Amino acid sequence: MSFLHRFFFTRPKLRRAVTRLLEGEREVEVSLLGAKLRVHSVKEHGYLRSSRLAKNSALFRDEAPVLLNLAALLADGDTFVDIGANVGIYSLTLARMRALLPKTKFYAFEANPDTFSRLAAHAREMGVVAHNIALSDHEGTLQFVAGAVSHVFTTVDNATSYSLAGETSAVPCKRLDQFDIAGDSLILKIDVEGQEKAVLDGASQFFVKKRVKAVYLDGCKEQAAVEDFLRGHGFAFLEGRTLAPTQGGVFSLLALRPEK
């Protein structure tokens, strides 16, 4: 990078000439952070390159826009509940908002003990209450199966071609509404590889008492049943990355309860 900086980036005439040669000189539509942008292939070449990188990175293509939208949704006194937290990309990133919104609270739930150890490494210092347990519609035990990477850790019933059939383990589970979750304005983020409806059913008392402000779902298995549950509690739907209104049927779903 120092070589590029010295012999390319700080030589503007050379940089412009090479960029024109490689890219031509044109305006092009790109997508960055969930927004459509028109950029010039030479004058905004950095954004053009970034848009190409984002297409091949789930973090920048899918999660970064959602993180921005959830951060904008947070108000002081809200409680963010990260269900299927993995290493904490949502809860630990958003917990920085406590510097601006000191009354916000953060909880994280991760079923995989190995993954949880990495989540827990920074949870306390960021003010996140972390639990190593699976969430479902009952209290008991669930059989999980591992995958080559931690984010496909799922129940045996939801195993896919990404699962390692021989690597199973028993994980304790509880309902979310069995936990003492503080606050009356909850934002739930759910990424649980097929257990979405069971998680919502296990949080039903929070919905009945109208304590849930928003739900973000990163994909779901029983989509029709999940959407019917949320509609039944008065939620309207947006596409989670772009905030475009939708009737449902999208992978990235943000459900909001209209304010009275």
Side-chain angles (χ1 to χ4, degrees), residues 80-128:
F80 185 82
V81 184
D82 189 356
I83 303 167
N86 200 266
V87 296
I89 190 67
Y90 281 88
S91 49
L92 298 187
T93 299
L94 291 174
R96 294 180 301 173
M97 296 295 291
R98 295 176 72 235
L100 303 174
L101 306 171
K103 296 179 182 178
T104 52
K105 301 175 183 65
F106 293 85
Y107 296 83
F109 292 84
E110 173 52 43
N112 188 331
D114 177 65
T115 308
F116 179 81
S117 68
R118 292 183 286 281
L119 166 67
H122 295 289
R124 180 174 294 183
E125 70 186 70
M126 295 301 296
V128 177

Side-chain angles (χ1 to χ4, degrees), residues 143 145 154-161 163 190-200 216-228 230 249-253:
Q143 287 293 321
V145 59
T154 189
T155 59
V156 170
D157 290 342
N158 290 303
T160 68
S161 58
S163 302
I190 304 174
D191 183 0
V192 289
E193 302 298 315
Q195 281 280 105
E196 298 80 19
K197 182 59 165 54
V199 168
L200 289 172
Y216 173 68
L217 290 143
D218 188 64
C220 57
K221 182 179 179 181
E222 302 174 77
Q223 189 141 6
V226 164
E227 292 175 0
D228 286 346
L230 293 169
V250 296
F251 182 88
S252 180
L253 182 68

Side-chain angles (χ1 to χ4, degrees), residues 180-207:
D180 184 17
I181 304 295
D184 291 318
S185 182
L186 312 183
I187 299 173
L188 310 183
K189 167 262 177 182
I190 304 174
D191 183 0
V192 289
E193 302 298 315
Q195 281 280 105
E196 298 80 19
K197 182 59 165 54
V199 168
L200 289 172
D201 287 340
S204 60
Q205 290 305 305
F206 293 156
F207 285 91

Side-chain angles (χ1 to χ4, degrees), residues 159-186:
T160 68
S161 58
Y162 298 103
S163 302
L164 297 169
E167 297 188 19
T168 61
S169 57
V171 176
C173 67
K174 289 179 71 172
R175 296 171 58 94
L176 179 64
D177 57 22
Q178 289 181 278
F179 285 86
D180 184 17
I181 304 295
D184 291 318
S185 182
L186 312 183

Side-chain angles (χ1 to χ4, degrees), residues 31-32 48-63 151 241:
S31 179
L32 274 175
L48 178 59
R49 288 186 290 111
S50 295
S51 71
R52 290 169 177 161
L53 291 171
K55 285 182 180 180
N56 297 310
S57 168
L59 174 64
F60 295 111
R61 182 188 64 237
D62 301 327
E63 292 175 309
H151 71 265
R241 293 165 295 189

